[in-house]
Amino acid sequence: MTHFNDLIDGYRRFRTADYRRQHERWAQLAEGQSPKVMVIACSDSRVEPSQIFDTLPGEIFVVRNVANLVPPFESDGGRHGVSAALEFAVTKLEVEEVVVLGHGMCGGAHAALTEMFQDSPPGDGGFVHAWVSLLDEARDRVKAKYGTGPAATREMELETVRTSIRNLRTFPFVPARETAGRLTIRGAYFAISDGVLHLMDEDGDFRPA
Amino acid sequence: MTHFNDLIDGYRRFRTADYRRQHERWAQLAEGQSPKVMVIACSDSRVEPSQIFDTLPGEIFVVRNVANLVPPFESDGGRHGVSAALEFAVTKLEVEEVVVLGHGMCGGAHAALTEMFQDSPPGDGGFVHAWVSLLDEARDRVKAKYGTGPAATREMELETVRTSIRNLRTFPFVPARETAGRLTIRGAYFAISDGVLHLMDEDGDFRPA
Amino acid sequence: MTHFNDLIDGYRRFRTADYRRQHERWAQLAEGQSPKVMVIACSDSRVEPSQIFDTLPGEIFVVRNVANLVPPFESDGGRHGVSAALEFAVTKLEVEEVVVLGHGMCGGAHAALTEMFQDSPPGDGGFVHAWVSLLDEARDRVKAKYGTGPAATREMELETVRTSIRNLRTFPFVPARETAGRLTIRGAYFAISDGVLHLMDEDGDFRPA
Amino acid sequence: MTHFNDLIDGYRRFRTADYRRQHERWAQLAEGQSPKVMVIACSDSRVEPSQIFDTLPGEIFVVRNVANLVPPFESDGGRHGVSAALEFAVTKLEVEEVVVLGHGMCGGAHAALTEMFQDSPPGDGGFVHAWVSLLDEARDRVKAKYGTGPAATREMELETVRTSIRNLRTFPFVPARETAGRLTIRGAYFAISDGVLHLMDEDGDFRPA
């Protein structure tokens, strides 16, 4: 079982190895970051973008939340964490690609499909229920077409990617940059059961990379 | 410059090396996740928890957003991404530790201290401004005591950790579990300039690990 | 500059990371080794088979000496280090492949081509001179055809592989197993200047992998 | 089971990751090598110095043979592989430390202790027998004191280190440099059963690092 003291051990390894070995890289990173890719992934402990994509420090700007969700553009002055990160990455850092990474065995997608926390108060599932309500429309489509079995589960997980990408495009600065050829949106899905990465094509279909 | 095709190359390395080599681990992870630690970190491309703590797949449940912020408990039925992740990690996965990891050269902390996006519309800095408003009280304290120089910048970055931890404890299930000895809250700060990790003590002071 | 104390630091990283992470593998290795490949490489600090081939503990049985040389079969009762390792790997461990790995900028090949240590006493170059005398015939062929320029240097380096493979086959148990389809001999060359691995074909020609 | 094609896969990982990531280092190495440490280790697939010491390309000059043995200085003009490597590393590369690394479950030490290949012809154990005859004196001491049980096995393995270090010092240039403070000889032992590295002190005793 890994606890915080194990993380400190890990930090010591990082300091004596990776950090020392990549001192040129870290010296550059101390000047500032200039990632070209933003990744929106799930908080699931098994879906670590830097591990699945074997990246180095400074290469990807990362947002992680339950079910890798992007809410739609809302100019209500409210606190929107994903919107803030997206705005910063695309309009300030000017990343050239945004990748939405879904995955198998997603607890958030499961909660959306089953509505298991429908009657749960905030603090006992209610927050998860409210958050995955972003998937309500998708869920209705999925249940109508696939019911609630394994096929529906997989489809629901793929819908987290399609829904987030749809919402990404409600932010005016996204389609504007896509049209100008300065930004590309990617969809991907990591199947935990067999460790295979799938890529989404223009039609929203996923195929093994 | 790393782009999506480089990430795909990285995935192929992951498949032929890490995934193959840790097949026992991945076989277990395919059964489910049971991380004992949740990490709340910044989206900054240089602050990758799994790299700084040298962790393995399945070891840490991760939330990443601008300035590693946790909003306070709000039972307004709204969509709260961090609250959903926190609720899921603590009450469903029952993690035993929550680590808030701040870092140096934080764009979010900078935006909070300088209020640089004060008059920016949503889509051009407005979302960042609204998001970091979670740091308004802290900013006022910092400016009153340190002004706006380098010392203020560092203090503002440390305040992102202290503020998030303060807000974490507004979720009833957090102090309840802390009292029961089932949950521990940790504060940490990664100084990008020299790669040194600092740990927060009970008084909220940070010292090199 | 890496010294022994740095190696001890490296060992501590190995203990807290690789060793712990691959405990199943190490538990198996504690039962015994059963590598399927033997690699004969140079002692050069830049030509580490486990790094170039990204192998794991237990995967390759390795001999390393100056210029990755294999002396011919000699039943004179003398102490033959390479012969002992080859005999043990092929007839006791029953490896299925033997790889001879040459490389660019090889000091041993250079000494063979230039005969720079021709008049040096043992302890000041004489041992190297005597050792690379295994390449005398090859050197004569190379100089006759390529002179002593860069082309000759590369050819001399490739000859270290061809010569060792020729000598490998003077050990009766090698051709016997090759004929029986139980052993395969491979030739490879790592060009340090550009980091490209070349593989030797049946004709003794080398092409990028 | 790892075969040559797996090594080629490993090479592709090396090319797209380590080589690319450490291009500054490789650019320097393309100029020449200047390791400060020479390691003499066993060919055993489980005792990879670069893995146990977590080293980088260019850091250690490595000799590997059965039982990490160093024959004594012999100026008979014969082909002495270890002598050539030692001469090159110490007098040409001017390494500052030579580490002899022994290990547990060593087949060579076992052969020396049991004399199992005493009557075996070259090609069926005879080469190993002749090679480990370097340990004859040590074996007699060990058997006289410990018999042939587990304690004797461990002692025999430690003797491979002590014997090699004793022989190292028969090369005039070794004690000369030790006296001048330009060279240090180290003894170490890796216990495969529990993965613990032991270091040898001045008295030839080994203790966990």
Side-chain angles (χ1 to χ4, degrees):
Chain A
M1 291 313 205
T2 301
H3 288 85
F4 190 63
N5 57 322
D6 302 303
L7 268 55
I8 300 304
D9 284 346
Y11 159 70
R12 305 216 183 286
R13 291 192 297 270
F14 162 78
R15 280 292 295 175
T16 54
D18 286 15
Y19 189 83
R20 180 173 61 82
R21 294 171 181 191
Q22 299 194 51
H23 55 84
E24 293 95 347
R25 165 174 289 274
W26 279 103
Q28 290 171 356
L29 293 178
E31 301 298 311
Q33 68 172 329
S34 56
K36 292 285 161 267
V37 183
M38 174 186 192
V39 177
I40 297 165
C42 185
S43 294
D44 191 298
S45 63
R46 300 162 293 183
V47 190
E48 176 59 70
S50 69
Q51 291 169 341
I52 292 173
F53 295 126
D54 194 22
T55 56
L56 295 178
E59 293 186 328
I60 52 177
F61 184 86
V62 182
V63 164
R64 292 182 68 180
N65 59 39
V66 172
N68 43 273
L69 294 175
V70 176
F73 178 81
E74 291 175 298
S75 54
D76 56 3
R79 290 190 310 255
H80 301 292
V82 178
S83 304
L86 180 66
E87 177 186 70
F88 188 73
V90 175
T91 71
K92 305 307 171 187
L93 296 177
E94 301 208 304
V95 297
E96 298 169 7
E97 295 173 296
V98 176
V99 183
V100 177
L101 175 66
H103 71 98
M105 305 182 67
C106 181
H110 181 65
L113 183 63
T114 61
E115 298 178 80
M116 63 195 289
F117 297 128
Q118 192 161 20
D119 309 317
S120 307
D124 191 35
F127 282 121
V128 170
H129 183 74
W131 178 246
V132 299
S133 68
L134 284 163
L135 296 167
D136 284 351
E137 279 184 34
R139 180 198 55 245
D140 295 342
R141 279 199 305 280
V142 170
K143 290 179 79 166
K145 189 169 177 187
Y146 299 89
T148 56
T153 298
R154 166 67 68 110
E155 195 59 21
M156 195 70 229
E157 293 165 349
L158 299 179
E159 277 296 336
T160 64
V161 180
R162 298 187 190 113
T163 299
S164 287
I165 288 179
R166 197 172 301 112
N167 290 343
L168 272 176
R169 293 181 165 136
T170 61
F171 288 77
F173 56 80
V174 170
R177 280 175 168 70
E178 283 186 280
T179 307
R182 293 166 53 196
L183 182 68
T184 306
I185 306 298
R186 315 273 189 184
Y189 173 87
F190 181 66
I192 285 179
S193 57
D194 60 6
V196 174
L197 181 75
H198 295 64
L199 303 181
M200 191 181 90
D201 62 22
E202 293 74 17
D203 306 328
D205 296 327
F206 288 75
R207 293 191 182 70
Chain B
M1 292 311 205
T2 301
H3 289 85
F4 191 62
N5 58 323
D6 302 303
L7 267 55
I8 301 303
D9 284 346
Y11 159 70
R12 304 216 184 285
R13 292 193 297 271
F14 163 77
R15 280 294 296 176
T16 55
D18 286 15
Y19 188 82
R20 180 173 62 82
R21 293 172 181 192
Q22 298 194 52
H23 54 85
E24 294 94 347
R25 166 174 289 273
W26 279 101
Q28 291 171 355
L29 293 177
E31 302 298 312
Q33 69 172 328
S34 55
K36 293 284 161 267
V37 183
M38 174 187 193
V39 176
I40 297 165
C42 185
S43 294
D44 190 297
S45 63
R46 301 163 292 184
V47 189
E48 175 59 70
S50 68
Q51 292 169 339
I52 293 173
F53 295 126
D54 193 21
T55 57
L56 294 179
E59 293 185 328
I60 53 176
F61 184 86
V62 182
V63 164
R64 292 182 69 180
N65 59 39
V66 172
N68 44 272
L69 295 175
V70 176
F73 178 82
E74 292 175 298
S75 54
D76 57 4
R79 290 189 309 255
H80 301 293
V82 178
S83 304
L86 179 67
E87 176 187 70
F88 188 74
V90 174
T91 72
K92 306 305 171 187
L93 295 177
E94 303 208 303
V95 298
E96 298 169 8
E97 294 172 297
V98 175
V99 182
V100 176
L101 176 65
H103 72 96
M105 304 182 65
C106 180
H110 180 66
L113 184 63
T114 61
E115 299 178 80
M116 63 194 288
F117 297 129
Q118 192 162 20
D119 309 317
S120 309
D124 191 36
F127 282 121
V128 170
H129 183 73
W131 178 245
V132 300
S133 68
L134 284 163
L135 297 166
D136 285 350
E137 278 182 36
R139 179 197 57 243
D140 297 341
R141 279 198 305 279
V142 171
K143 290 179 80 166
K145 189 169 178 186
Y146 299 89
T148 57
T153 299
R154 167 65 69 108
E155 194 60 20
M156 195 70 228
E157 292 165 351
L158 299 180
E159 277 296 336
T160 64
V161 180
R162 298 187 190 113
T163 299
S164 287
I165 288 181
R166 198 171 301 113
N167 289 343
L168 271 177
R169 292 182 166 135
T170 62
F171 288 77
F173 55 81
V174 170
R177 280 174 168 71
E178 284 185 280
T179 308
R182 293 166 52 196
L183 181 68
T184 306
I185 306 299
R186 314 274 190 185
Y189 173 88
F190 181 67
I192 285 179
S193 56
D194 60 6
V196 173
L197 182 74
H198 296 64
L199 303 181
M200 191 182 90
D201 61 22
E202 293 74 16
D203 306 328
D205 296 327
F206 288 76
R207 294 193 180 69
Chain C
M1 292 311 204
T2 301
H3 288 84
F4 190 62
N5 58 322
D6 301 304
L7 268 55
I8 301 303
D9 284 345
Y11 159 69
R12 304 217 184 283
R13 291 193 297 270
F14 163 78
R15 280 295 294 177
T16 54
D18 286 15
Y19 189 84
R20 179 173 62 82
R21 295 172 181 192
Q22 298 193 54
H23 55 86
E24 295 94 346
R25 165 173 289 272
W26 279 102
Q28 290 171 357
L29 292 177
E31 301 298 311
Q33 68 172 328
S34 56
K36 293 284 161 266
V37 183
M38 174 186 192
V39 176
I40 298 166
C42 185
S43 294
D44 191 299
S45 63
R46 300 164 293 184
V47 190
E48 175 58 68
S50 69
Q51 290 170 340
I52 293 173
F53 295 126
D54 194 21
T55 57
L56 294 179
E59 294 186 327
I60 52 175
F61 184 87
V62 181
V63 164
R64 292 182 68 181
N65 59 39
V66 172
N68 44 273
L69 294 175
V70 176
F73 178 81
E74 291 174 300
S75 55
D76 57 4
R79 289 190 308 256
H80 302 293
V82 178
S83 305
L86 179 66
E87 177 186 70
F88 189 73
V90 175
T91 71
K92 305 306 171 187
L93 295 176
E94 302 207 303
V95 297
E96 298 169 7
E97 295 173 296
V98 176
V99 182
V100 177
L101 175 66
H103 71 97
M105 305 182 66
C106 180
H110 181 66
L113 183 63
T114 60
E115 299 179 79
M116 63 194 290
F117 297 129
Q118 193 162 20
D119 309 316
S120 307
D124 191 36
F127 282 122
V128 171
H129 183 73
W131 177 246
V132 299
S133 68
L134 284 163
L135 297 167
D136 285 351
E137 279 183 33
R139 180 196 58 243
D140 296 343
R141 279 198 305 280
V142 170
K143 290 179 80 167
K145 190 170 178 187
Y146 300 88
T148 57
T153 298
R154 165 66 68 108
E155 194 60 20
M156 194 71 228
E157 292 165 351
L158 299 179
E159 277 295 337
T160 64
V161 180
R162 300 187 189 110
T163 298
S164 287
I165 288 179
R166 199 172 299 111
N167 290 342
L168 271 177
R169 292 181 165 136
T170 62
F171 289 76
F173 56 80
V174 170
R177 280 176 169 70
E178 283 185 281
T179 308
R182 293 167 51 196
L183 182 68
T184 306
I185 307 298
R186 314 273 189 185
Y189 173 87
F190 181 67
I192 286 179
S193 57
D194 60 6
V196 173
L197 182 74
H198 295 63
L199 303 181
M200 192 182 90
D201 62 22
E202 294 75 17
D203 306 328
D205 297 327
F206 288 76
R207 293 192 181 70
Chain D
M1 291 312 204
T2 301
H3 289 84
F4 190 63
N5 57 323
D6 302 304
L7 268 55
I8 301 302
D9 284 346
Y11 159 70
R12 305 216 183 283
R13 291 193 298 270
F14 163 78
R15 279 294 295 176
T16 54
D18 286 16
Y19 189 83
R20 179 173 63 82
R21 294 171 180 191
Q22 299 194 51
H23 54 85
E24 294 95 347
R25 164 173 290 272
W26 279 102
Q28 291 171 355
L29 292 177
E31 302 298 311
Q33 68 171 328
S34 55
K36 292 286 160 267
V37 182
M38 174 186 193
V39 176
I40 297 166
C42 185
S43 294
D44 191 297
S45 64
R46 301 164 293 184
V47 189
E48 176 58 71
S50 68
Q51 291 170 339
I52 294 173
F53 295 125
D54 194 21
T55 57
L56 295 178
E59 294 186 327
I60 53 176
F61 184 86
V62 182
V63 164
R64 293 182 67 180
N65 60 38
V66 172
N68 43 274
L69 294 175
V70 176
F73 178 81
E74 291 176 299
S75 54
D76 58 4
R79 290 190 309 255
H80 301 293
V82 179
S83 304
L86 179 67
E87 178 187 68
F88 188 74
V90 175
T91 72
K92 306 305 172 187
L93 295 177
E94 302 209 303
V95 297
E96 299 170 6
E97 295 172 296
V98 176
V99 183
V100 177
L101 175 65
H103 71 97
M105 304 183 67
C106 180
H110 181 66
L113 183 63
T114 61
E115 299 179 79
M116 63 194 290
F117 298 129
Q118 192 162 20
D119 310 316
S120 307
D124 191 35
F127 282 120
V128 170
H129 183 74
W131 178 246
V132 299
S133 69
L134 285 162
L135 296 167
D136 285 351
E137 279 183 36
R139 180 196 56 244
D140 295 342
R141 278 199 304 280
V142 170
K143 290 179 79 166
K145 190 170 176 186
Y146 300 88
T148 57
T153 299
R154 167 64 71 107
E155 193 60 19
M156 194 71 229
E157 293 165 350
L158 298 180
E159 278 295 336
T160 64
V161 180
R162 298 187 190 113
T163 298
S164 288
I165 288 179
R166 198 172 301 112
N167 290 343
L168 271 176
R169 292 181 165 138
T170 62
F171 289 77
F173 56 79
V174 170
R177 280 176 168 71
E178 284 185 280
T179 307
R182 294 166 50 197
L183 182 69
T184 306
I185 307 299
R186 313 274 190 186
Y189 173 88
F190 181 65
I192 285 179
S193 56
D194 60 6
V196 174
L197 182 74
H198 295 65
L199 303 180
M200 192 182 89
D201 61 21
E202 294 75 17
D203 307 327
D205 296 326
F206 289 75
R207 294 191 181 69

